[in-house]
Amino acid sequence: MRYYSTNDQTHQATLEEAVLKGRADDGGLYLPEHIPVLPQAFVSNLQAMSLQEMSYAVANYALQGDVEASVLHNIVYDSLNFPIPLVYVGGNRFALELFHGPTMSFKDVGMRFMARMVSYFTKQHHKEINVLVTTSGNTGGAVASGFYGMPGVNVYILYPQDTLSPLQEAQFTTLGGNVTALEVNGTLDDCREMVAEAFSDKELNERMHLTSARTINMARLLPQVFYYFFAFAQLAEREQNVDQLVFAVPCGNLGNLTAGVMAKQMGLPVKRFIAADNCNDIFTQYLATGDFVPRKVTPSVAPAMDIGNPQNFAQLHAMLHSHVEACELIDGVACDDKQIMSTIAHVWQQEHYLLDPQSATAYRALLEHLQPGETGVALATAHPAKYRDTVEQATGETLRVPGTLSRFLGGTRHVTQLKSGYTSFRQFLLSRDHNNNNR
Ligand SMILES: *Cc1c(COP(=O)(O)O)cnc(C)c1O
């Protein structure tokens, strides 16, 4: 399969290039040349398959032999080694719990798969690759856990001083090994700027083989396609009506929604998607007006969705061709902090289901907009305990933190302090490169 750049159809790449580069040289995002449609018989038999079996089959169709079957089998089975249950909540509404991985957000799914793909490609060439990311919360933990111990890969995570909760921070600062945590005395934007400068530094790139683990990467998007199929399978297994299936997706960079649309284009029978935004409603506004206007972030109680310039938009737009087609398939719903808090409280009291603030935006969209005859699935993207303070404030009750999260808190922190600005970051990276050469 060839992958083309959303900026220029003629700019093409192999899967390996698309995965290792992330973004095309012309600044566009990669998409597969065509989206393979799964045979009807496959879709009708989904309920007989396990998550891993189904994911492997979907991956095989999607990658069309670009990764050796036995290798792909291992990558899928290793990455998806935790359950993704569909939980009944109330009415004809379900939650697809994507947060049972090692860092308890849905980002584990994409990151674990991507880490194994990157490691596979670098091993083939005996290359060493360096992953640079910034985090405001869940990405750091998922990258660290996903890439930890992967041969041939080093990870550098930049984050702004004094902004993360101890729980979030501990998820990526206590591992050590090939995971380096860099605490920057600046803002998240400063961190992003430093990483952007590193990627545009030709000399550094040639020396260190830099890559990002961004949500736009094919190796992150593809595994997110799997669980849409798995949700459908679990509904079919319960003999739930799947003729009018609606997915509500809490949106930030729009990676999750893009994967859903990809699943639909691969043949999953989805009636429509609801894109749920918080107050940073850039995508909802796009659907309403036809204009995509990035803007400065307004901080909210659902911080994983505080994105002012959704990165996956170009892919989503290219897949749907036009604003009209986007509106036919996707409805946009935004909600503010007060509505998020009241949804968490209401669903806990009425339906005895505890939502994290991000997933609450999606579930609220179902409560308000699901039509008779439709079956709604809200993607539950994080364990509520990751947002303990907010959730406790909403429900007025104490929340137990599962061991999977708290186990990091006792660990030794390995953190390097970094001055804001590119000079110090570049120096630091080069000193690491030097060490590697002398080993
Ligand atoms: C990253 C994240 C989102 C946003 O997902 P996108 O794919 O960027 O749209 C939503 N919820 C949680 C908990 C997240 O960590």
Side-chain angles (χ1 to χ4, degrees):
M1 176 80 81
R2 303 289 293 176
Y3 294 81
Y4 72 91
S5 161
T6 51
N7 278 0
D8 175 6
Q9 288 265 0
T10 64
H11 179 120
Q12 296 209 336
T14 61
L15 175 68
E16 173 175 344
E17 287 163 339
V19 169
L20 293 186
K21 272 194 189 146
R23 194 177 273 275
D25 287 337
D26 66 3
L29 311 184
Y30 287 115
L31 276 177
E33 192 176 35
H34 66 270
I35 294 184
V37 178
L38 304 177
Q40 189 52 51
F42 174 79
V43 178
S44 330
N45 281 317
L46 282 174
Q47 71 269 29
M49 300 172 107
S50 71
L51 170 64
Q52 289 165 320
E53 277 176 284
M54 174 182 311
S55 303
Y56 172 57
V58 174
N60 241 331
Y61 279 113
L63 298 183
Q64 311 243 305
D66 283 342
V67 179
E68 228 175 288
S70 64
V71 173
L72 187 58
H73 186 274
N74 287 345
I75 291 177
V76 169
Y77 277 67
D78 259 13
S79 330
L80 296 166
N81 64 349
F82 52 88
I84 301 187
L86 185 79
V87 177
Y88 175 73
V89 183
N92 38 1
R93 299 175 299 274
F94 295 79
L96 184 66
E97 293 189 347
L98 300 165
F99 53 72
H100 296 286
T103 71
M104 308 207 97
S105 93
F106 85 106
K107 289 189 172 71
D108 283 328
V109 177
M111 222 63 94
R112 288 176 66 77
F113 187 87
M114 178 178 172
R116 283 160 180 80
M117 291 281 278
V118 166
S119 185
Y120 163 67
F121 285 130
T122 52
K123 235 187 301 186
Q124 279 189 326
H125 306 294
H126 311 285
K127 267 200 274 192
E128 193 154 282
I129 204 161
N130 293 287
V131 178
L132 310 183
V133 287
T134 60
T135 187
S136 59
N138 293 328
T139 303
V143 172
S145 160
F147 283 91
Y148 180 63
M150 285 286 145
V153 189
N154 301 305
V155 180
Y156 298 90
I157 301 168
L158 284 79
Y159 65 108
Q161 210 167 35
D162 304 328
T163 52
L164 301 194
S165 73
L167 212 99
Q168 284 175 324
E169 204 212 25
Q171 285 189 325
F172 62 89
T173 57
T174 55
L175 293 176
N178 64 335
V179 176
T180 303
L182 298 168
E183 188 180 35
V184 176
N185 74 334
T187 64
L188 184 62
D189 279 336
D190 294 332
C191 297
R192 288 192 179 129
E193 186 69 25
M194 289 158 75
V195 168
E197 281 202 49
F199 282 122
S200 59
D201 183 335
K202 267 222 163 82
E203 190 200 326
L204 189 75
N205 270 275
E206 267 157 34
R207 262 175 89 160
M208 295 195 70
H209 306 292
L210 302 182
T211 192
S212 78
R214 299 274 279 280
T215 166
I216 54 160
N217 197 296
M218 273 302 128
R220 267 184 79 176
L221 280 180
L222 177 63
Q224 293 184 239
V225 170
F226 307 156
Y227 52 66
Y228 284 92
F229 280 90
F230 193 54
F232 176 90
Q234 293 181 77
L235 285 170
E237 200 179 7
R238 290 164 191 241
E239 298 177 6
Q240 184 75 26
N241 177 13
V242 281
D243 297 342
Q244 297 193 50
L245 177 54
V246 178
F247 282 105
V249 186
C251 292
N253 273 312
L254 299 169
N256 218 350
L257 182 64
T258 302
V261 170
M262 215 175 258
K264 156 110 184 162
Q265 294 188 346
M266 288 181 79
L268 186 70
V270 180
K271 182 183 175 196
R272 63 185 178 111
F273 293 90
I274 306 180
D277 273 333
N278 62 12
C279 56
N280 298 287
D281 62 348
I282 290 91
F283 189 65
T284 305
Q285 287 303 320
Y286 159 74
L287 290 172
T289 64
D291 297 321
F292 180 71
V293 189
R295 59 170 199 260
K296 250 183 114 74
V297 160
T298 306
S300 80
V301 295
M305 298 162 68
D306 289 349
I307 305 284
N309 185 7
Q311 292 295 307
N312 293 82
F313 179 76
Q315 280 164 330
L316 192 56
H317 191 262
M319 282 167 57
L320 291 167
H321 311 298
S322 69
H323 176 247
V324 173
E325 235 179 284
C327 291
E328 277 167 10
L329 185 61
I330 309 167
D331 293 301
V333 180
C335 64
D336 62 23
D337 281 2
K338 241 175 95 187
Q339 292 170 319
I340 293 172
M341 297 300 269
S342 68
T343 303
I344 297 172
H346 167 86
V347 176
W348 175 241
Q349 280 144 22
Q350 303 295 316
E351 300 181 338
H352 309 291
Y353 188 79
L354 196 57
L355 291 158
D356 77 275
Q358 285 76 214
S359 310
T361 65
Y363 194 79
R364 181 182 175 87
L366 291 182
L367 280 172
E368 307 230 308
H369 298 277
L370 205 62
Q371 288 157 16
E374 289 181 335
T375 301
V377 174
L379 299 200
T381 48
H383 192 287
K386 285 201 105 169
Y387 298 88
R388 183 178 177 178
D389 291 351
T390 306
V391 172
E392 286 185 345
Q393 203 189 325
T395 61
E397 289 178 34
T398 312
L399 181 58
R400 200 187 64 81
V401 177
T404 313
L405 287 177
S406 55
R407 77 196 149 104
F408 293 102
L409 282 170
T412 313
R413 285 170 87 241
H414 308 269
V415 177
T416 303
Q417 317 279 341
L418 209 57
K419 263 211 326 250
S420 175
Y422 184 52
T423 321
S424 53
F425 184 37
R426 185 174 206 271
Q427 251 167 21
F428 178 80
L429 287 175
L430 285 173
S431 73
R432 279 309 186 88
D433 188 39
H434 184 69
N435 289 340
N436 286 335
N437 291 340
N438 288 343
R439 223 178 259 154

